Amino acid sequence: MAAPPLPPSGATASRRVLVIGAGPGGLASAMLLRAAGAEVTLLEKEDQPGGRTGAIRRDGFTFDIGPTFFLYPEILREIFSACGRDFDAEVEMTRLDPMYRLQFDDGRAIEATDDVERLTAQVAKIDARDAKNVAAYLEENRAKFEAFRPILQRPFAGLGDLMRGDMMKALPKMRPWSTVDRDLNRWFRNPDVRVAFSFQSKYLGMSPFKCPSLFTIIAHVEYGFGVFHPKGGCNAITAAMARIAREMGVDVRLSEPVEKLKIEGRRATGAVTAKGDYDADAVVMNADFAHAMTTLVPDTARKRWTDARIASKSYSCSTFMLYLGIEGSLPEMRHHTIAFSSDYAKNVAEIDAGRAPENPTIYIQNASVTDPTLAPEGHSALYVLVPVGNLTGGADWSALAPAYREKVLDRVSKLAGRDIRAAIRTELMFTPDDWQSKLSVYEGATFNLAHNLGQMLHYRPRNRFEDIDGVYLTGGGTHPGSGLPTIFESARIAARLCGEDLSLPGAAGLSTTLPPMEAAE
């Protein structure tokens, strides 16, 4: 599909947008704003696009840095279409079935599938009575998702947005007084079955015992729309977006970190890097919100989101990571495996307390069983993620990491059916310290601000940033929140607000699903 025609350069010369950060939100914003008629420059501190959705390439192996599950491709289809492209023609996707294996410590397992009849049979192996409620539970969450989808697709600028008709209609389904686990208790009495349908709260870096019940819809996104693997990994999506952005005329500049935002009065006018000054009519911030604000913007320039306020907020968990290039295949392991702790409640409590769990839950991606491009022939690329406390807990990872690596390798080896240590041909370890020091993630909180009720909707930093005029936010630190689908939605919201404020000629085409928004809200 050909890209839509852009206005003549003279018509857009005075409408310059600077995007800071080439993560998924920044790339989507850059594409949409360019399609709407802006001149767009994208500044990225790393030597590749993608941010936490970039790639690690070592010794012939390819690993995703962060996200490995790809959910809800519908939103990217809409974004690509708004830019005159066909997402499915640009990125090769495989729908996984089973989506993943849920492995309990005692050997029981659920092969999670979006085939409801087969899923019911899998749950029956854990609890036959609970299995009878699977279909009804999924249907309730389908209805909840449909009710909340328009709410997650629009900005929240204040209390007034809570009173709109769509919010009033959806609120009874939200059950704001409840948590994910408590809501599941209405359907499933067995704690292991509840864990199987609630571990997805970890996609937000939160405990199912604290995460608002709204987020049971994440399970519906998986079961209703499928879990996908992009060929080459999720990093292939951001690589395709960067390529398309360049083809559209976005000036993508890698290895150029922003040193500070340029501010006149309370308006952002551009940014400064070591290579020069960039003037702009608007700035889209895709960098980690808390890190960017506390390092690129003076504290005195922020009335609401001061350094003290940012420090006082609750943040998600962090992750301990092993990226392992293995000689040989691992036929006993699925593409995705979530191996639960023997005491899941204790595991989650330790994470909430900022510690490294004694008996951790681990996630393993063995994507080479599906995608041979990720490793040399006869080898496997293994990605291991362990949710742990963020740096506010005070753990000394320089001392803790070596022993923790051994603990995690013991768990992986048990799942693989053999000790994998002798087969490791390349390895990279990431701790919460590394998330902060290498990828500029505030307090190593991999999933950004926590998603409690006091940090959602208008309580989250707003897509049209309330402290500095001309700044628009996208990414996990703003509305609607963390996770690739919601980050892409934040990009669409931010781009549309920016486009309307700048009176871009193509602003009305930035969303295929939303009615016009008031630019001054």
Side-chain angles (χ1 to χ4, degrees):
M1 185 183 297
L6 295 168
S9 59
T12 64
S14 63
R15 292 311 189 202
R16 294 168 296 181
V17 177
L18 190 64
V19 179
I20 299 175
L27 289 164
S29 298
M31 290 169 60
L32 290 168
L33 286 164
R34 180 62 184 144
E39 291 186 354
V40 181
T41 299
L42 194 160
L43 300 174
E44 168 56 47
K45 70 182 183 67
E46 300 296 332
D47 62 1
Q48 65 168 340
R52 277 169 260 185
T53 314
I56 296 168
R57 294 183 173 87
R58 294 167 62 98
D59 303 323
F61 296 88
T62 300
F63 308 94
D64 282 319
I65 295 173
T68 57
F69 275 49
F70 190 66
L71 307 175
Y72 197 53
E74 278 72 8
I75 184 171
L76 269 186
R77 290 187 178 113
E78 292 181 0
I79 289 172
F80 274 53
S81 178
C83 298
R85 302 294 182 121
D86 180 351
F87 172 69
D88 295 291
E90 301 286 354
V91 180
E92 183 179 338
M93 306 278 285
T94 300
R95 186 166 181 162
L96 302 178
D97 188 14
M99 302 185 296
Y100 42 76
R101 172 183 283 171
L102 301 175
Q103 184 69 58
F104 294 94
D105 195 58
D106 61 5
R108 295 171 303 146
I110 292 176
E111 301 288 350
T113 172
D114 53 12
D115 181 310
V116 177
E117 185 176 337
R118 286 165 50 211
L119 177 64
T120 300
Q122 289 288 313
V123 173
K125 295 192 302 182
I126 306 297
D127 192 305
R129 195 167 96 177
D130 281 355
K132 297 176 183 178
N133 293 328
V134 167
Y137 167 74
L138 292 175
E139 173 56 26
E140 181 185 78
N141 276 277
R142 183 202 62 77
K144 183 193 286 191
F145 175 81
E146 292 302 326
F148 271 91
R149 179 159 52 178
I151 293 166
L152 299 176
Q153 290 177 321
R154 65 171 172 87
F156 273 74
L159 282 170
D161 286 306
L162 291 175
M163 305 307 293
R164 291 192 185 186
D166 57 359
M167 189 69 182
M168 292 297 98
K169 181 179 178 181
L171 197 58
K173 293 182 172 64
M174 182 177 177
R175 298 173 60 83
W177 60 87
S178 190
T179 66
V180 166
D181 180 74
R182 199 175 303 135
D183 201 54
L184 282 165
N185 197 45
R186 296 187 298 123
W187 299 93
F188 308 121
R189 64 175 185 173
N190 190 299
D192 287 343
V193 175
R194 294 201 300 275
V195 166
F197 288 104
S198 68
F199 78 90
Q200 294 91 344
S201 61
K202 275 289 174 274
Y203 300 170
L204 306 175
M206 288 199 66
S207 157
F209 307 111
K210 294 183 177 180
C211 191
S213 66
L214 164 64
F215 294 106
T216 59
I217 64 173
I218 301 176
H220 165 70
V221 172
E222 292 181 342
Y223 288 105
F225 298 97
V227 171
F228 294 83
H229 173 76
K231 184 178 180 180
C234 284
N235 67 89
I237 295 172
T238 49
M241 295 174 75
R243 172 179 53 78
I244 291 168
R246 289 189 178 101
E247 292 171 359
M248 295 175 67
V250 175
D251 184 7
V252 179
R253 302 194 175 199
L254 303 177
S255 302
E256 191 167 353
V258 170
E259 295 178 346
K260 66 177 181 179
L261 216 59
K262 293 167 61 176
I263 301 174
E264 295 180 7
R266 60 163 286 142
R267 172 165 287 279
T269 60
V272 177
T273 76
K275 297 181 180 180
D277 288 14
Y278 293 86
D279 293 328
D281 297 293
V283 175
V284 177
M285 183 77 75
N286 179 225
D288 182 270
F289 170 78
H291 175 84
M293 288 299 157
T294 55
T295 58
L296 305 183
V297 180
D299 190 33
T300 54
R302 289 173 275 120
K303 183 178 180 180
R304 183 175 183 224
W305 290 96
T306 62
D307 287 357
R309 182 184 178 92
I310 288 171
S312 72
K313 290 298 176 180
S314 298
Y315 289 86
S316 76
C317 71
S318 188
T319 59
F320 173 87
M321 313 288 302
L322 292 176
Y323 307 92
L324 305 172
I326 303 290
E327 183 176 353
S329 63
L330 298 164
E332 297 302 313
M333 301 185 68
R334 291 286 187 267
H335 185 117
H336 298 299
T337 300
I338 296 95
F340 296 117
S341 166
S342 58
D343 188 339
Y344 190 70
K346 178 183 177 182
N347 169 235
V348 169
E350 289 171 329
I351 295 169
D352 286 346
R355 300 199 296 270
E358 181 181 348
N359 182 13
T361 291
I362 67 173
Y363 158 68
I364 306 170
Q365 184 202 40
N366 180 31
S368 296
V369 298
T370 301
D371 185 352
T373 70
L374 300 175
E377 186 176 357
H379 293 71
S380 302
L382 213 59
Y383 167 115
V384 184
L385 179 153
V386 184
V388 298
N390 64 42
L391 293 176
T392 62
D396 181 0
W397 279 99
S398 61
L400 187 60
Y404 214 69
R405 170 188 180 271
E406 295 303 316
K407 181 193 295 281
V408 172
L409 287 177
D410 284 343
R411 294 287 305 283
V412 176
S413 296
K414 179 181 177 181
L415 292 166
R418 61 185 174 91
D419 193 333
I420 65 167
R421 290 173 176 83
I424 297 174
R425 296 295 171 261
T426 194
E427 176 180 356
L428 179 66
M429 179 170 63
F430 242 62
T431 72
D433 286 335
D434 295 311
W435 284 115
Q436 178 172 257
S437 64
K438 296 177 181 178
L439 286 178
S440 302
V441 175
Y442 188 82
E443 296 291 5
T446 318
F447 307 94
N448 222 290
L449 284 161
H451 294 74
N452 55 49
L453 288 178
Q455 296 183 172
M456 289 170 56
L457 304 175
H458 67 289
Y459 292 119
R460 217 164 177 79
R462 297 168 191 172
N463 302 102
R464 182 193 282 118
F465 188 44
E466 57 266 45
D467 281 351
I468 306 171
D469 294 338
V471 171
Y472 304 84
L473 302 180
T474 180
T478 187
H479 173 73
S482 296
L484 285 179
T486 41
I487 286 173
F488 288 129
E489 200 61 78
S490 76
R492 184 155 61 177
I493 295 170
R496 187 165 188 188
L497 289 170
C498 179
E500 291 185 351
D501 289 353
L502 295 181
S503 299
L504 294 179
L510 289 178
S511 171
T512 60
T513 59
L514 298 178
M517 294 185 292
E518 293 296 329
E521 65 186 332

